[in-house]
Amino acid sequence: MISNLDHHLDEAARAVGSIDDLDALRALGVELLGKTSVVTEARRALGGLDPDQRKDVGQRLNEVRNELERLVSERRTTLEAVARSVTLEAERLDLTELDGNKRLGHRHVVTQTWERLEDLFVGMGYTVAEGPEIEDEWHNFGALNFPLGHPARDMYDTLYVDHGVPGSTLLRTHTSPVQIRVMEDGEPPFYSIMPGRVFRSDTADSTHMPVFHQIEGLVVDRGITFGDLAGTLEAFTRAYFGHDFTSRLRPSYFPFTEPSAEFDIQRPDGTWLELGGCGMVHPSVLSAGGVDPEEWSGFAFGFGLDRLALMRHGIDDLRELFRNDLRFLGQF
Ligand code: PHE
């Protein structure tokens, strides 16, 4: 009986090895281990054996049964792995061939503008800094020489965040708070630009968005003058827009610069476009940043990055930049 079982095991091993689909394996498993299988019949027959034989045969029977189970389950694992890789191969998507042409994505036109500005200023020796979009009242206003309750705070339609003391936390309305952070974090001289996202509670129209981008510039060194500011902005204008563009400064007011100016550029057709504000850093702002105004002076500027992108590409509606219509964005 034992030799019968061994013979059965050999045959079963061969049968299992030759199966190559899961349904057939399931059927073979029932045949080898189910109610009418050789091992089940042999177990029934055990009762008719004498006790000595019963012990030996019983032991071998258990071994054979375990071995059959192992063979079937091992084969199942192998066949399942094969089935999985066949499915994966069949469902593979070739993303390089979408639409039948090899079209790669590209950076958003605002990101392109942002990176170009960084390249340009880094080329002029500036470093790039960033600050938080959720700011405290001190960095966005107080340190920039807007006293509490000062009407100039109403220049910005500020979005406050429900955090801490009411009015203490806000979405930054401009990138100027990063000037303070740059001064707090280092020692002069500073030659930094600070691009970033800013927020105002404005209704979207062709020239305004509640979320937009600015690029701030800060230079603090010994003996910096208004002439350095004008020269830097003129150099920037020509480098960014081309040699047929020029710039001018018009008197203006910001609490954090004194004197302050608006920065306009003139296009080849002679028309002027306002790009942003600038001025000499107010002594109180230097002090708030931990810089001694007796020893250091500086200038700052800030302008709308989205507006530069519009200008450069002759787009006439700011909202188009953020509608995410690929037919539109794909042009730039
Ligand atoms: N922060 C000002 C604004 O958003 C722009 C500005 C920056 C003006 C730096 C002067 C100096 O309107």
mmCIF file of all heavy atoms in Angstrom, residues 8 12 25-44 61 64-65 68-69 72 76:
data_model
loop_
_atom_site.group_PDB
_atom_site.id
_atom_site.type_symbol
_atom_site.label_atom_id
_atom_site.label_comp_id
_atom_site.label_asym_id
_atom_site.label_seq_id
_atom_site.Cartn_x
_atom_site.Cartn_y
_atom_site.Cartn_z
ATOM 1 N N HIS A 8 1.676 6.910 -6.620
ATOM 2 C CA HIS A 8 0.647 7.937 -6.838
ATOM 3 C C HIS A 8 1.244 9.349 -6.738
ATOM 4 O O HIS A 8 0.957 10.237 -7.546
ATOM 5 C CB HIS A 8 -0.473 7.757 -5.811
ATOM 6 C CG HIS A 8 -1.506 8.854 -5.840
ATOM 7 N ND1 HIS A 8 -2.303 9.093 -6.943
ATOM 8 C CD2 HIS A 8 -1.862 9.782 -4.910
ATOM 9 C CE1 HIS A 8 -3.105 10.119 -6.694
ATOM 10 N NE2 HIS A 8 -2.864 10.556 -5.455
ATOM 11 N N ALA A 12 1.245 12.191 -9.545
ATOM 12 C CA ALA A 12 0.574 13.458 -9.250
ATOM 13 C C ALA A 12 1.537 14.625 -9.475
ATOM 14 O O ALA A 12 1.166 15.664 -10.028
ATOM 15 C CB ALA A 12 0.051 13.459 -7.814
ATOM 16 N N LEU A 25 -5.889 23.588 -12.847
ATOM 17 C CA LEU A 25 -5.196 23.255 -11.594
ATOM 18 C C LEU A 25 -6.211 23.057 -10.460
ATOM 19 O O LEU A 25 -6.055 22.148 -9.630
ATOM 20 C CB LEU A 25 -4.216 24.382 -11.216
ATOM 21 C CG LEU A 25 -3.393 24.102 -9.957
ATOM 22 C CD1 LEU A 25 -2.445 22.908 -10.152
ATOM 23 C CD2 LEU A 25 -2.603 25.327 -9.516
ATOM 24 N N ARG A 26 -7.245 23.887 -10.461
ATOM 25 C CA ARG A 26 -8.275 23.755 -9.439
ATOM 26 C C ARG A 26 -8.936 22.368 -9.551
ATOM 27 O O ARG A 26 -9.109 21.674 -8.554
ATOM 28 C CB ARG A 26 -9.319 24.866 -9.608
ATOM 29 C CG ARG A 26 -9.933 25.337 -8.298
ATOM 30 C CD ARG A 26 -10.670 26.669 -8.470
ATOM 31 N NE ARG A 26 -9.779 27.781 -8.781
ATOM 32 C CZ ARG A 26 -9.860 28.552 -9.858
ATOM 33 N NH1 ARG A 26 -10.812 28.355 -10.765
ATOM 34 N NH2 ARG A 26 -9.002 29.537 -10.040
ATOM 35 N N ALA A 27 -9.243 21.962 -10.769
ATOM 36 C CA ALA A 27 -9.874 20.648 -10.994
ATOM 37 C C ALA A 27 -8.948 19.507 -10.552
ATOM 38 O O ALA A 27 -9.377 18.563 -9.878
ATOM 39 C CB ALA A 27 -10.231 20.500 -12.466
ATOM 40 N N LEU A 28 -7.678 19.654 -10.885
ATOM 41 C CA LEU A 28 -6.717 18.608 -10.492
ATOM 42 C C LEU A 28 -6.584 18.528 -8.970
ATOM 43 O O LEU A 28 -6.459 17.440 -8.401
ATOM 44 C CB LEU A 28 -5.355 18.884 -11.146
ATOM 45 C CG LEU A 28 -4.272 17.827 -10.880
ATOM 46 C CD1 LEU A 28 -4.687 16.457 -11.426
ATOM 47 C CD2 LEU A 28 -2.930 18.245 -11.487
ATOM 48 N N GLY A 29 -6.647 19.709 -8.328
ATOM 49 C CA GLY A 29 -6.571 19.741 -6.861
ATOM 50 C C GLY A 29 -7.702 18.920 -6.235
ATOM 51 O O GLY A 29 -7.479 18.155 -5.294
ATOM 52 N N VAL A 30 -8.911 19.067 -6.778
ATOM 53 C CA VAL A 30 -10.060 18.305 -6.264
ATOM 54 C C VAL A 30 -9.824 16.811 -6.488
ATOM 55 O O VAL A 30 -10.042 15.988 -5.604
ATOM 56 C CB VAL A 30 -11.366 18.769 -6.967
ATOM 57 C CG1 VAL A 30 -12.522 17.836 -6.611
ATOM 58 C CG2 VAL A 30 -11.673 20.204 -6.587
ATOM 59 N N GLU A 31 -9.301 16.510 -7.687
ATOM 60 C CA GLU A 31 -9.049 15.102 -8.018
ATOM 61 C C GLU A 31 -8.026 14.481 -7.060
ATOM 62 O O GLU A 31 -8.170 13.336 -6.637
ATOM 63 C CB GLU A 31 -8.534 15.058 -9.455
ATOM 64 C CG GLU A 31 -8.598 13.703 -10.129
ATOM 65 C CD GLU A 31 -8.004 13.799 -11.547
ATOM 66 O OE1 GLU A 31 -8.383 14.758 -12.280
ATOM 67 O OE2 GLU A 31 -7.141 12.966 -11.897
ATOM 68 N N LEU A 32 -7.004 15.261 -6.681
ATOM 69 C CA LEU A 32 -5.919 14.709 -5.854
ATOM 70 C C LEU A 32 -6.223 14.738 -4.357
ATOM 71 O O LEU A 32 -5.667 13.951 -3.596
ATOM 72 C CB LEU A 32 -4.616 15.478 -6.102
ATOM 73 C CG LEU A 32 -3.998 15.346 -7.498
ATOM 74 C CD1 LEU A 32 -2.781 16.252 -7.633
ATOM 75 C CD2 LEU A 32 -3.620 13.879 -7.771
ATOM 76 N N LEU A 33 -7.101 15.663 -3.940
ATOM 77 C CA LEU A 33 -7.280 15.843 -2.491
ATOM 78 C C LEU A 33 -8.741 15.761 -2.045
ATOM 79 O O LEU A 33 -9.036 15.791 -0.843
ATOM 80 C CB LEU A 33 -6.695 17.204 -2.068
ATOM 81 C CG LEU A 33 -5.175 17.333 -2.248
ATOM 82 C CD1 LEU A 33 -4.751 18.792 -2.381
ATOM 83 C CD2 LEU A 33 -4.428 16.668 -1.099
ATOM 84 N N GLY A 34 -9.662 15.672 -3.029
ATOM 85 C CA GLY A 34 -11.093 15.705 -2.691
ATOM 86 C C GLY A 34 -11.635 14.390 -2.158
ATOM 87 O O GLY A 34 -10.871 13.476 -1.836
ATOM 88 N N LYS A 35 -12.965 14.312 -2.084
ATOM 89 C CA LYS A 35 -13.643 13.167 -1.436
ATOM 90 C C LYS A 35 -13.363 11.820 -2.093
ATOM 91 O O LYS A 35 -13.367 10.796 -1.436
ATOM 92 C CB LYS A 35 -15.153 13.401 -1.469
ATOM 93 C CG LYS A 35 -15.635 14.393 -0.431
ATOM 94 C CD LYS A 35 -17.163 14.270 -0.243
ATOM 95 C CE LYS A 35 -17.698 15.387 0.612
ATOM 96 N NZ LYS A 35 -18.206 16.512 -0.206
ATOM 97 N N THR A 36 -13.151 11.855 -3.449
ATOM 98 C CA THR A 36 -12.951 10.569 -4.134
ATOM 99 C C THR A 36 -11.494 10.366 -4.524
ATOM 100 O O THR A 36 -11.177 9.521 -5.360
ATOM 101 C CB THR A 36 -13.820 10.507 -5.411
ATOM 102 O OG1 THR A 36 -13.427 11.607 -6.248
ATOM 103 C CG2 THR A 36 -15.295 10.613 -5.078
ATOM 104 N N SER A 37 -10.584 11.147 -3.921
ATOM 105 C CA SER A 37 -9.175 11.052 -4.298
ATOM 106 C C SER A 37 -8.545 9.789 -3.717
ATOM 107 O O SER A 37 -9.081 9.179 -2.783
ATOM 108 C CB SER A 37 -8.433 12.286 -3.782
ATOM 109 O OG SER A 37 -8.492 12.302 -2.374
ATOM 110 N N VAL A 38 -7.381 9.448 -4.264
ATOM 111 C CA VAL A 38 -6.637 8.279 -3.788
ATOM 112 C C VAL A 38 -6.329 8.397 -2.295
ATOM 113 O O VAL A 38 -6.518 7.457 -1.524
ATOM 114 C CB VAL A 38 -5.332 8.112 -4.600
ATOM 115 C CG1 VAL A 38 -4.439 7.037 -3.980
ATOM 116 C CG2 VAL A 38 -5.660 7.782 -6.056
ATOM 117 N N VAL A 39 -5.921 9.598 -1.875
ATOM 118 C CA VAL A 39 -5.533 9.728 -0.452
ATOM 119 C C VAL A 39 -6.751 9.610 0.468
ATOM 120 O O VAL A 39 -6.660 9.052 1.569
ATOM 121 C CB VAL A 39 -4.746 11.024 -0.154
ATOM 122 C CG1 VAL A 39 -3.312 10.938 -0.664
ATOM 123 C CG2 VAL A 39 -5.441 12.249 -0.704
ATOM 124 N N THR A 40 -7.901 10.124 0.043
ATOM 125 C CA THR A 40 -9.087 10.021 0.884
ATOM 126 C C THR A 40 -9.571 8.564 0.974
ATOM 127 O O THR A 40 -9.908 8.075 2.054
ATOM 128 C CB THR A 40 -10.212 10.925 0.345
ATOM 129 O OG1 THR A 40 -9.690 12.243 0.191
ATOM 130 C CG2 THR A 40 -11.392 10.977 1.298
ATOM 131 N N GLU A 41 -9.541 7.875 -0.170
ATOM 132 C CA GLU A 41 -9.928 6.448 -0.160
ATOM 133 C C GLU A 41 -8.985 5.658 0.741
ATOM 134 O O GLU A 41 -9.423 4.816 1.514
ATOM 135 C CB GLU A 41 -9.838 5.870 -1.570
ATOM 136 C CG GLU A 41 -10.634 6.672 -2.595
ATOM 137 C CD GLU A 41 -11.985 6.045 -2.916
ATOM 138 O OE1 GLU A 41 -12.003 5.079 -3.692
ATOM 139 O OE2 GLU A 41 -13.001 6.545 -2.373
ATOM 140 N N ALA A 42 -7.675 5.970 0.636
ATOM 141 C CA ALA A 42 -6.686 5.239 1.437
ATOM 142 C C ALA A 42 -6.952 5.452 2.932
ATOM 143 O O ALA A 42 -6.820 4.536 3.744
ATOM 144 C CB ALA A 42 -5.274 5.700 1.087
ATOM 145 N N ARG A 43 -7.377 6.684 3.285
ATOM 146 C CA ARG A 43 -7.657 6.945 4.698
ATOM 147 C C ARG A 43 -8.814 6.064 5.187
ATOM 148 O O ARG A 43 -8.768 5.506 6.279
ATOM 149 C CB ARG A 43 -7.984 8.434 4.906
ATOM 150 C CG ARG A 43 -8.338 8.781 6.357
ATOM 151 C CD ARG A 43 -8.228 10.257 6.664
ATOM 152 N NE ARG A 43 -6.910 10.810 6.352
ATOM 153 C CZ ARG A 43 -5.814 10.627 7.075
ATOM 154 N NH1 ARG A 43 -5.864 9.913 8.175
ATOM 155 N NH2 ARG A 43 -4.675 11.148 6.706
ATOM 156 N N ARG A 44 -9.813 5.950 4.294
ATOM 157 C CA ARG A 44 -10.957 5.097 4.662
ATOM 158 C C ARG A 44 -10.515 3.651 4.876
ATOM 159 O O ARG A 44 -10.991 2.972 5.786
ATOM 160 C CB ARG A 44 -12.020 5.151 3.568
ATOM 161 C CG ARG A 44 -13.051 6.211 3.863
ATOM 162 C CD ARG A 44 -14.152 6.225 2.815
ATOM 163 N NE ARG A 44 -14.472 7.595 2.500
ATOM 164 C CZ ARG A 44 -14.409 8.141 1.299
ATOM 165 N NH1 ARG A 44 -14.062 7.408 0.246
ATOM 166 N NH2 ARG A 44 -14.683 9.403 1.139
ATOM 167 N N LEU A 61 0.772 8.152 4.658
ATOM 168 C CA LEU A 61 -0.387 8.784 4.031
ATOM 169 C C LEU A 61 -0.426 10.283 4.338
ATOM 170 O O LEU A 61 -0.645 11.126 3.449
ATOM 171 C CB LEU A 61 -1.665 8.097 4.532
ATOM 172 C CG LEU A 61 -2.988 8.614 3.962
ATOM 173 C CD1 LEU A 61 -2.999 8.507 2.437
ATOM 174 C CD2 LEU A 61 -4.157 7.816 4.548
ATOM 175 N N VAL A 64 2.241 12.029 2.299
ATOM 176 C CA VAL A 64 1.890 12.155 0.881
ATOM 177 C C VAL A 64 0.826 13.256 0.701
ATOM 178 O O VAL A 64 0.909 14.087 -0.192
ATOM 179 C CB VAL A 64 1.384 10.802 0.325
ATOM 180 C CG1 VAL A 64 0.738 10.983 -1.052
ATOM 181 C CG2 VAL A 64 2.542 9.808 0.238
ATOM 182 N N ARG A 65 -0.147 13.250 1.596
ATOM 183 C CA ARG A 65 -1.197 14.257 1.488
ATOM 184 C C ARG A 65 -0.615 15.679 1.612
ATOM 185 O O ARG A 65 -0.931 16.565 0.833
ATOM 186 C CB ARG A 65 -2.236 14.013 2.592
ATOM 187 C CG ARG A 65 -3.476 14.810 2.347
ATOM 188 C CD ARG A 65 -4.511 14.704 3.443
ATOM 189 N NE ARG A 65 -5.385 15.843 3.251
ATOM 190 C CZ ARG A 65 -6.435 15.809 2.445
ATOM 191 N NH1 ARG A 65 -6.799 14.702 1.849
ATOM 192 N NH2 ARG A 65 -7.139 16.907 2.254
ATOM 193 N N LEU A 68 1.200 16.559 -1.546
ATOM 194 C CA LEU A 68 0.276 16.904 -2.645
ATOM 195 C C LEU A 68 -0.236 18.339 -2.472
ATOM 196 O O LEU A 68 -0.286 19.117 -3.430
ATOM 197 C CB LEU A 68 -0.908 15.929 -2.660
ATOM 198 C CG LEU A 68 -0.601 14.501 -3.133
ATOM 199 C CD1 LEU A 68 -1.852 13.604 -2.945
ATOM 200 C CD2 LEU A 68 -0.173 14.491 -4.597
ATOM 201 N N GLU A 69 -0.602 18.692 -1.255
ATOM 202 C CA GLU A 69 -1.092 20.065 -1.008
ATOM 203 C C GLU A 69 -0.026 21.095 -1.352
ATOM 204 O O GLU A 69 -0.306 22.130 -1.944
ATOM 205 C CB GLU A 69 -1.512 20.218 0.466
ATOM 206 C CG GLU A 69 -2.888 19.626 0.726
ATOM 207 C CD GLU A 69 -3.261 19.610 2.211
ATOM 208 O OE1 GLU A 69 -2.397 19.970 3.054
ATOM 209 O OE2 GLU A 69 -4.416 19.245 2.496
ATOM 210 N N VAL A 72 0.390 21.459 -5.207
ATOM 211 C CA VAL A 72 -0.700 22.206 -5.837
ATOM 212 C C VAL A 72 -0.583 23.694 -5.507
ATOM 213 O O VAL A 72 -0.717 24.555 -6.383
ATOM 214 C CB VAL A 72 -2.070 21.640 -5.384
ATOM 215 C CG1 VAL A 72 -3.201 22.566 -5.833
ATOM 216 C CG2 VAL A 72 -2.269 20.235 -5.943
ATOM 217 N N ARG A 76 0.046 26.898 -7.992
ATOM 218 C CA ARG A 76 -0.926 27.986 -8.072
ATOM 219 C C ARG A 76 -0.196 29.334 -7.993
ATOM 220 O O ARG A 76 -0.458 30.261 -8.767
ATOM 221 C CB ARG A 76 -1.975 27.875 -6.954
ATOM 222 C CG ARG A 76 -3.086 28.927 -7.095
ATOM 223 C CD ARG A 76 -4.096 28.888 -5.956
ATOM 224 N NE ARG A 76 -4.552 27.535 -5.670
ATOM 225 C CZ ARG A 76 -4.415 26.930 -4.496
ATOM 226 N NH1 ARG A 76 -3.833 27.540 -3.483
ATOM 227 N NH2 ARG A 76 -4.860 25.702 -4.324
#
